Amino acid sequence: EVRLVESGGGLVQPGGSLRLSCAASGFLFSTFNMHWIRQAPGKGLEWVSTIYSGSDNTAYADFVKGRFTISRDNSKNTLYLQMNSLETEDTAVYYCARSCSGPVCNYKGQGTQVTVTA
């Protein structure tokens, strides 16, 4: 059974930082591209970032480029998202996901809430 469990969300002021983690199990983590997607209040899911298996190349949505960094530790079956220079517009539930086409994914976790507010 594929299991994705996010952690690390919280309340932070604009300009602050958070590091999200996602513990994966039930599949061979190192062989899959992994993604972060998010859903802001009252809005649909949107793709945030991808890290590719093997090469560890990365891709980012324009609205997080230069502020967020995705990474993975295959020895720990864990995906990360380092979020710096957070903005109020980054307030959302963040999901770790697998097997995605854009923001539509076959597997995602329960999500972790990130709230950016003064």
Side-chain angles (χ1 to χ4, degrees), residues 4-7 20-24 29 34 36 77-80 96:
L4 300 167
V5 180
E6 301 93 339
S7 61
L20 306 183
S21 299
C22 171
F29 177 75
M34 294 299 298
W36 288 99
N77 289 348
T78 302
L79 178 71
Y80 301 101
C96 164

Side-chain angles (χ1 to χ4, degrees), residues 8-20 67-68 82-92 94 113-118:
L11 183 66
V12 63
Q13 292 184 338
S17 299
L18 283 173
R19 189 194 195 203
L20 306 183
R67 299 189 298 122
F68 290 10
Q82 177 67 44
M83 305 188 296
N84 298 330
S85 302
L86 282 160
E87 304 169 353
T88 56
E89 294 79 9
D90 295 318
T91 295
Y94 285 74
Q113 176 70 50
V114 171
T115 303
V116 185
T117 181

Side-chain angles (χ1 to χ4, degrees), residues 22-37:
C22 171
S25 61
F27 63 101
L28 192 53
F29 177 75
S30 62
T31 65
F32 283 86
N33 302 335
M34 294 299 298
H35 316 268
W36 288 99
I37 59 175

Side-chain angles (χ1 to χ4, degrees), residues 25-109:
S25 61
F27 63 101
L28 192 53
F29 177 75
S30 62
T31 65
F32 283 86
N33 302 335
M34 294 299 298
H35 316 268
W36 288 99
I37 59 175
R38 72 184 188 184
Q39 187 165 26
K43 297 187 177 181
L45 288 166
E46 60 181 353
W47 170 76
V48 175
S49 183
T50 295
I51 186 165
Y52 297 93
S53 65
S55 67
D56 278 354
N57 287 338
T58 58
Y60 298 93
D62 285 345
F63 52 79
V64 303
K65 203 172 291 183
R67 299 189 298 122
F68 290 10
T69 303
I70 189 172
S71 62
R72 66 195 298 165
D73 186 337
N74 291 334
S75 69
K76 296 181 179 179
N77 289 348
T78 302
L79 178 71
Y80 301 101
L81 186 67
Q82 177 67 44
M83 305 188 296
N84 298 330
S85 302
L86 282 160
E87 304 169 353
T88 56
E89 294 79 9
D90 295 318
T91 295
V93 178
Y94 285 74
Y95 299 92
C96 164
R98 199 203 89 176
S99 304
C100 299
S101 177
V104 179
C105 304
N106 288 338
Y107 301 97
K108 64 181 176 70

